[in-house]
Amino acid sequence: KEAGEKYTGKTKPDDMRPTIFYKDEEIKKAATFQDIVKDLEIFGLKNELTQVLLNLINNSKDAFVQKNITKKEITIKTYTNTKDDFVYLEYIDNAQGLSKELFDRIYEPYFTTKHQSIGTGLGLFICKIIIENSFKGEIMHENISNGLKFTLKFPKIVWKI
């Protein structure tokens, strides 16, 4: 490996399961893993993907508190699409989504919906940088009926001989 060369290892989204919910009992109860496809692999560092997911979870936790959500729900699932060569990871919460004023700004550096003593406004900005630069992927979001859905799109590992 050359000096300064970036290491890209194989990461399985399914490997994130034990790492993500290691301490927070309330989030353990709220979170479900659905349709986690085994043996999906993407290029990137496991720690970076863990950082992205932990940031999404922390944002959900804060939104649950801000909006007084008592029945907290987080769903994480993975899938592939037969029409393209990508792996998808969906993260969904039921924290009532984002207002129109905030929707297009969430990836801006230093933009936060929280009080300055709680948030820096860098979390989703860093997530976007990690997904785009380290994984060569894409992060998208949309309001759904009772919450917010993030879709992480990663190039599928294709071995050509």
Side-chain angles (χ1 to χ4, degrees), residues 125-144:
F125 171 72
I126 291 170
C127 289
K128 184 173 173 58
I129 297 299
I130 289 171
I131 296 300
E132 291 178 352
N133 294 346
S134 295
F135 288 93
K136 305 298 182 216
E138 187 177 346
I139 183 170
M140 302 157 281
H141 66 287
E142 64 181 291
N143 280 325
I144 56 173

Side-chain angles (χ1 to χ4, degrees), residues 12 39 43 54 87 92 99 109 111 115 119 121 140 149 151 157 159:
K12 293 183 178 186
D39 298 324
F43 273 119
L54 285 173
V87 172
I92 302 166
S99 68
F111 176 77
H115 188 272
M140 302 157 281
K149 175 170 79 169
T151 303
I157 294 177
W159 301 106

